[in-house]
Amino acid sequence: MRITVRFDDRVGIAQEILGVLARKGINVVAVEVDVPFVYIDAPALPTDAFHALRDEFLTVPGVASVRTTDQLPGMRRRLHLEALLSAMPDPVLLLDTEGTIVVGNAAAAAAAGTNEAGLEGLALDIYLADDDDIAPRLIEAGFRLPPREVSVRGEPYLLSCTPALAEGGEPAGGVATLQSPHRVGEQMQVLQHFRAGSFDSILGASPAIAALRKQAVRVAVLDAPLLILGETGTGKELVAHACHAASPRKEAPFLALNCAAVPESLAESELFGYAPGAFSGAQKGGKPGLLELAGGGTVFLDEIGEMSPYLQVKLLRFLNDGSFRRVGGDRELRVDVRIIGATHRDLAAMVRDGSFREDLYYRLNVLRLEVPPLRKRGDDILTLARHFMEEAANRSGRPCPALSPAARAGLLASPWPGNVRQLQNVVFRAVTMTEKSVLEPVDLELADELAGGQGADPGTPLPGHGAPVTAIWPATWDDAQAAFERELLGRLYPLFPSSRKLAARLATSHTMIANKLRRHGIPGKP
């Protein structure tokens, strides 16, 4: 039985309370004093004897109450700490000032192939047998060292240490935490702040995007390399992330490397990692690469067409047998990772001219998706524009404006050489730079978009068709408006070959469209 005695603090009262137990010959295995309480653990005390004992306690001057309790506070704290340590997925060790393990959690014991009791009294240098200099370095640095890679039974971990302080601020050792590359990769994925999710995040209902979504759902669940092709700004990374989220690997990390954004030497170490002392300035303990960090998950190689021939060879070997070596390393490593590559370049043409390895191309091109450009999914332009307008309005803290009929028509008429990314930038600029409740073509700067930007030569053809810039760059406002209408209706009428269809697509009056078709001499009967 465990008892809690509450008392008014005075000198000697705790001794008098314990004297009651001694006079009755009650065996006590633990006593904790935390003023104004005394906690007593007397396991042999029968339940029916508690009332007599309580009355005896109450005769002691200053005792206010006596009751039973389920656990002593110290035991409760110990159980809570054990539960907390057991629930932690990473190995955690408490070290004394000599670098000896005082206690470790279940994950630390499992990593060493022993039980928790087997860790107590074990020197850290023995626990980290491949890093026998780490304990002296930790002690010398006051248990403060930059994170470094260590190994436990040949498995790599990232070690970080925090000083442990006793009462009064005196050093009492340190708390060492070890994280596997996979766990580090999970944290990196969270910090990437990527907003993608399922295929529902790929907006659009056009036939082209519906076909892409249907095909992507099929290839997402297949555990083979995937190659995503498409122009710049079409959303290839969004598709890659959606494929990962729909795959059996969705609970594992998704990590990305842009092959065009980093030099060859850095790209190699980022992807494959490096061994201790691999090069000047390298971390002392080495560093895992994305392949190790994404263990069990997906590595997305953006702009893979820019990868150097040397890295192409290393990647090919990994795709063939799942093994690789770190930069400067001599040990073969194996990881289970799915590779998704993406590029806006024509890899088949690069194979023909010898700038991309043919064997790597066929190894990557097991599964393939082609993301359509925005000009081939015109039905999605207004849907995407509204979505980006709402995002921009939320970010700028203002009400979301509407689009005028002319602005909607201008969005549909633009060739969008920069695809979805260009559309997003145009809309964001318009929403954040104007206070209007209804956006017009001038707010979207569509003339510049159609003309290929400010400063274009008036004789330059418009992107995507042969109309010169002078068609939208006349001398007067009325001429400009008429030229814009003629250009727009001339482009859309073949796609919607009746005044009623065209009026419905532009969300305007059938009569107005019929009149403008006649005015501009657009072929076909209105």
Side-chain angles (χ1 to χ4, degrees):
M1 178 179 293
R2 301 178 182 92
I3 302 170
T4 300
V5 179
R6 182 184 178 93
F7 60 88
D8 297 328
D9 191 21
R10 64 175 174 82
V11 175
I13 190 171
Q15 184 177 359
E16 294 178 28
I17 292 172
L18 296 177
V20 172
L21 298 169
R23 287 195 301 272
K24 288 185 170 292
I26 297 174
N27 183 42
V28 175
V29 297
V31 175
E32 295 180 18
V33 179
D34 187 8
V35 177
F37 296 100
V38 173
Y39 302 95
I40 303 165
D41 188 2
L45 180 67
T47 304
D48 56 3
F50 169 70
H51 295 292
L53 180 62
R54 181 185 61 187
D55 293 342
E56 187 76 17
F57 279 138
L58 291 173
T59 64
V60 176
V63 172
S65 64
V66 182
R67 57 181 176 84
T68 59
T69 186
D70 57 342
Q71 291 178 340
L72 271 61
M75 182 184 297
R76 182 181 291 108
R77 285 192 295 270
R78 194 159 50 249
L79 291 175
H80 289 172
L81 179 60
E82 290 175 358
L84 178 64
L85 289 174
S86 297
M88 295 184 68
D90 301 316
V92 179
L93 303 168
L94 176 62
L95 309 172
D96 65 14
T97 54
E98 302 300 320
T100 301
I101 298 174
V102 177
V103 66
N105 66 349
T114 184
N115 54 35
E116 295 173 55
L119 295 177
E120 297 178 15
L122 188 67
L124 182 63
D125 286 342
I126 297 177
Y127 184 83
L128 305 175
D130 297 335
D131 303 89
D132 55 7
D133 68 331
I134 187 65
R137 289 170 58 84
L138 279 175
I139 295 170
E140 181 182 356
F143 294 91
R144 294 183 185 273
L145 278 180
R148 57 172 289 168
E149 190 177 53
V150 297
S151 62
V152 181
R153 293 202 303 168
E155 293 297 321
Y157 289 88
L158 185 67
L159 170 69
S160 57
C161 194
T162 303
L165 302 178
E167 292 185 13
E170 295 296 322
V175 177
T177 303
L178 295 91
Q179 291 183 303
S180 67
H182 173 76
R183 288 278 296 153
V184 177
E186 290 179 336
Q187 295 172 3
M188 285 181 60
Q189 176 178 331
V190 173
L191 294 174
Q192 281 183 343
H193 192 61
F194 196 86
R195 290 182 312 144
S198 68
F199 289 109
D200 293 335
S201 62
I202 303 175
L203 301 180
S206 64
I209 208 69
L212 170 69
R213 194 182 292 113
K214 182 177 180 180
Q215 188 179 10
V217 168
R218 293 181 178 180
V219 305
V221 297
L222 302 177
D223 201 19
L226 171 62
L227 184 61
I228 302 176
L229 305 176
E231 297 177 8
T232 298
T234 52
K236 297 185 291 295
E237 186 168 357
L238 187 69
V239 174
H241 205 292
C243 287
H244 170 78
S247 75
R249 300 175 180 269
K250 62 184 178 182
E251 300 300 328
F254 174 95
L255 300 178
L257 175 68
N258 190 318
C259 301
V262 291
E264 177 185 338
S265 58
L266 182 57
E268 182 183 12
S269 62
E270 283 292 308
L271 185 58
F272 298 101
Y274 56 81
F279 51 84
S280 177
Q283 292 183 15
K284 181 177 176 59
K287 179 184 176 183
L290 293 182
L291 291 177
E292 291 178 77
L293 296 174
T298 301
V299 169
F300 175 61
L301 300 177
D302 198 8
E303 299 300 344
I304 198 169
E306 309 297 331
M307 182 175 281
S308 70
Y310 172 69
L311 284 185
Q312 290 180 34
V313 174
K314 291 197 70 170
L315 178 60
L316 176 63
R317 187 191 174 200
F318 172 73
L319 289 172
N320 283 335
D321 58 17
S323 66
F324 65 96
R325 291 185 182 183
R326 290 185 179 183
V327 177
D330 56 5
R331 187 164 64 96
E332 290 289 325
L333 301 175
R334 299 185 66 86
V335 293
D336 175 26
V337 168
R338 184 187 192 186
I339 297 294
I340 298 180
T343 183
H344 72 284
R345 303 186 65 178
D346 185 348
L347 289 188
M350 294 178 66
V351 169
R352 289 192 295 270
D353 65 25
S355 58
F356 197 84
R357 291 185 64 94
E358 183 177 12
D359 45 6
L360 177 58
Y361 173 68
Y362 291 120
R363 194 67 184 84
L364 283 170
N365 197 24
V366 179
L367 303 171
R368 182 171 66 185
L369 294 173
E370 295 190 19
V371 185
L374 190 56
R375 61 181 176 275
K376 292 186 178 180
R377 41 183 298 209
D379 291 346
D380 297 334
I381 291 176
L382 295 182
T383 300
L384 291 167
R386 292 189 189 98
H387 172 74
F388 294 142
M389 287 172 64
E390 291 173 359
E391 279 192 342
N394 289 335
R395 290 174 62 181
S396 59
R398 55 155 300 183
C400 184
L403 290 169
S404 71
R408 292 197 297 268
L411 289 173
L412 293 171
S414 175
W416 299 117
N419 292 297
V420 179
R421 185 181 297 120
Q422 181 190 11
L423 173 62
Q424 183 178 18
N425 293 340
V426 166
V427 170
F428 180 82
R429 182 171 62 241
V431 171
T432 56
M433 298 302 291
T434 181
E435 298 296 327
K436 295 180 181 179
S437 59
V438 178
L439 299 181
E440 298 291 345
V442 66
D443 302 314
L444 297 168
E445 301 179 23
L446 290 177
D448 291 337
E449 298 297 331
L450 287 170
Q454 293 181 348
D457 185 345
T460 304
L462 283 168
H465 50 87
V469 175
T470 50
I472 59 167
W473 206 325
T476 69
W477 177 259
D478 290 339
D479 290 343
Q481 184 176 4
F484 181 82
E485 290 177 355
R486 184 166 54 253
E487 170 68 19
L488 173 65
L489 295 175
R491 291 188 61 198
L492 294 183
Y493 188 80
L495 302 176
F496 305 92
S498 78
S499 58
R500 292 190 182 277
K501 291 180 180 178
L502 189 51
R505 186 65 188 89
L506 296 176
T508 189
S509 161
H510 156 254
T511 302
M512 185 191 76
I513 291 296
N515 291 335
K516 290 187 179 295
L517 288 173
R518 279 193 293 268
R519 180 184 308 161
H520 297 298
I522 303 298
K525 277 192 175 182

